[in-house]
Amino acid sequence: MIWKHIRSVYSVGCGLGGKLGHGSRTDEKQPRLIEQFQLLNLQPMVVAAGAWHAAVVGQDGRVCTWGWGRYGCLGHGNEECESVPKVVEALSNVKAVHVATGDYTTFVVSNDGDVYSFGCGESASLGHSTATDGQGNRHANVLAPELVTSLKQVNERVVQISLTNSIYWNAHTFALTESGKLYAFGAGDKGQLGIELVANQTERGNPEQWNC
């Protein structure tokens, strides 16, 4: 468990993979301050805790991630674990305002409404589709932050991302825009996207707007 209090972040619980951010992989039975943010001179404003990793957006727009790095979910260009918060250098030219984490997946929203995602590409839940037929390599894992160009095409600022905490079981993602429109993409075989799929289709690689 991780939470923020007066621009300080504390964590407690299972320390596997270094996901508590204290420089070790030991469990913590009492809330403990994550001291690395003072060393980075970063004031945490937004905290997101996934199943195996966590992320923070600082007041200056920097993004830090730590924990299990499987599938590239930390955004550092590899799959290494990080036991203390580490700045995502690939986002150094981006001023982030929102971050969301799932099961080995991470989304970052910038102050201009752009969305970046990285990590496990299962079920096309990262929103990356490069081919005109919508297939492309959208199931590929992404080791460093990549702009979700499919969300650029909605021509609206995205303000929030919500994603499932599972990569193997019907992973899917929702994006909320400034005007209140909701877009969904990823696995939809159980109806979880809230949109109707065509025959034999089990997922949406590109965001589709809810009509409600």
Side-chain angles (χ1 to χ4, degrees):
M1 179 181 293
I2 296 175
W3 68 93
K4 179 173 72 75
H5 179 257
I6 314 177
R7 297 184 183 175
S8 297
V9 180
Y10 295 78
S11 63
V12 64
C14 176
L16 286 175
K19 61 183 179 178
L20 294 182
H22 303 301
S24 68
R25 301 187 180 190
T26 58
D27 298 345
E28 296 289 340
K29 296 183 179 179
Q30 298 291 332
R32 180 180 172 186
L33 176 69
I34 300 178
E35 300 176 354
Q36 182 69 6
F37 295 117
Q38 280 79 11
L39 297 176
L40 293 172
N41 192 27
L42 185 146
Q43 295 183 327
M45 300 298 292
V46 182
V47 179
W52 305 105
H53 71 294
V56 153
V57 174
Q59 188 177 38
D60 59 4
R62 283 184 292 168
V63 176
C64 289
T65 59
W66 67 97
W68 288 97
R70 194 175 182 186
Y71 304 114
C73 66
L74 300 184
H76 302 304
N78 54 47
E79 296 188 64
E80 299 297 320
C81 295
E82 298 291 341
S83 60
V84 296
K86 180 179 179 180
V87 174
V88 181
E89 295 297 340
L91 292 171
S92 60
N93 294 323
V94 174
K95 181 176 176 58
V97 294
H98 173 71
V99 65
T101 53
D103 191 2
Y104 298 117
T105 52
T106 307
F107 280 78
V108 173
V109 180
S110 72
N111 65 335
D112 58 7
D114 284 340
V115 178
Y116 299 81
S117 67
F118 42 98
C120 181
E122 187 72 20
S123 301
S125 61
L126 291 180
H128 302 301
S129 182
T130 57
T132 55
D133 61 0
Q135 296 299 319
N137 199 24
R138 69 191 192 196
H139 288 176
N141 299 328
V142 179
L143 302 184
E146 185 175 318
L147 180 67
V148 183
T149 56
S150 58
L151 283 172
K152 288 281 286 185
Q153 297 170 10
V154 305
N155 296 319
E156 242 195 292
R157 289 167 54 94
V158 173
V159 295
Q160 187 173 344
I161 294 287
S162 179
L163 62 158
T164 53
N165 206 21
S166 172
I167 57 174
Y168 298 115
W169 298 98
N170 308 316
H172 56 288
T173 306
F174 291 93
L176 180 68
T177 68
E178 195 170 37
S179 69
K181 295 176 183 176
L182 190 64
Y183 292 83
F185 51 96
D189 55 314
K190 306 296 183 183
Q192 63 268 44
L193 294 181
I195 55 179
E196 186 175 351
L197 302 179
V198 299
N200 299 320
Q201 189 180 31
T202 61
E203 60 187 40
R204 285 283 303 179
N206 290 314
E208 183 166 329
Q209 184 182 347
W210 266 29
N211 293 314
C212 56

